[in-house]
Amino acid sequence: MRRAVFPGSFDPITLGHYDIIERSLTLFDEIILAIGVNSEKKYMFSLDERKHFIEEAFKNEPKIKVMTYRGLTVEFCKKQNANFILRGLRNPGDFEFEKAIAHTNRQMSDIETVFLLTSSGKSYISSSIVRDVIRNGGDVSKLVPETVLVK
């Protein structure tokens, strides 16, 4: 079975994330959307809210599981018997950052990182931009799945 873990804080999930997830469904038998928990980080949305947004967005997709984890992503992958880490790339800066992480993960395990480029119409979207728009009372309806708008 080709099982991938797509890790992230998903604070909140964006249409960029959604794009990568939808397009990766043909590549993997199962995708675990793994919400990383970092007690040092200040989140806009609670862990339960973030998990709910994702579960609702993909409630009709049996190939997707939503889980939370703490610690190293490669250790989580091993526990889930996942041989792949899925990552989305929006720009060259993302590539340089993600490449270093992928090389480190590869040194620690035999888990491969698979990169997908975000569709051109979604490449400008980031969770930090979405949070900023929300904080300032802007309309995020073209940036996030409908499940985030219900908040």
Side-chain angles (χ1 to χ4, degrees):
M1 174 181 274
R2 291 172 313 201
R3 180 176 293 132
V5 168
F6 186 23
S9 60
F10 302 105
D11 187 34
I13 185 170
T14 70
L15 290 180
H17 295 125
Y18 194 92
D19 171 63
I20 294 295
I21 296 161
E22 274 198 322
R23 289 176 35 238
S24 68
L25 287 169
T26 60
L27 302 175
F28 301 105
D29 301 310
E30 182 178 82
I31 301 168
I32 300 170
L33 305 182
I35 305 169
V37 178
N38 180 346
S39 58
E40 311 255 326
K41 195 170 176 182
K42 175 102 172 84
Y43 297 104
M44 175 175 271
F45 296 97
S46 72
L47 180 59
D48 287 340
E49 288 172 313
R50 291 179 281 145
K51 191 171 185 214
H52 177 75
F53 295 154
I54 298 168
E55 287 172 338
E56 283 300 304
F58 293 101
K59 67 183 175 189
N60 296 320
E61 180 47 66
K63 292 172 88 173
I64 292 185
K65 290 167 97 174
V66 182
M67 301 176 79
T68 63
Y69 76 104
R70 291 180 190 275
L72 294 174
T73 301
V74 290
E75 294 303 321
F76 178 76
C77 289
K78 289 176 189 176
K79 288 178 187 168
Q80 301 307 316
N81 295 315
N83 294 321
F84 302 95
I85 296 173
L86 175 64
R87 298 301 293 160
L89 300 174
R90 294 170 297 180
N91 56 49
D94 280 356
F95 174 72
E96 289 302 323
F97 177 75
E98 294 291 344
K99 179 177 75 168
I101 294 170
H103 286 313
T104 302
N105 287 339
R106 190 71 172 118
Q107 288 295 319
M108 297 169 54
S109 70
D110 59 354
I111 297 168
E112 289 290 349
T113 300
V114 175
F115 297 113
L116 287 183
L117 298 177
T118 305
S119 297
S120 62
K122 310 272 188 310
S123 64
Y124 66 96
I125 303 171
S126 71
S127 292
S128 57
I129 288 173
V130 169
R131 289 192 304 271
D132 196 43
V133 172
I134 291 170
R135 271 196 281 289
N136 289 289
D139 177 12
V140 294
S141 62
K142 293 187 174 128
L143 305 174
V144 298
E146 282 185 26
T147 57
V148 176
L149 301 175
V150 177
K151 170 107 178 81

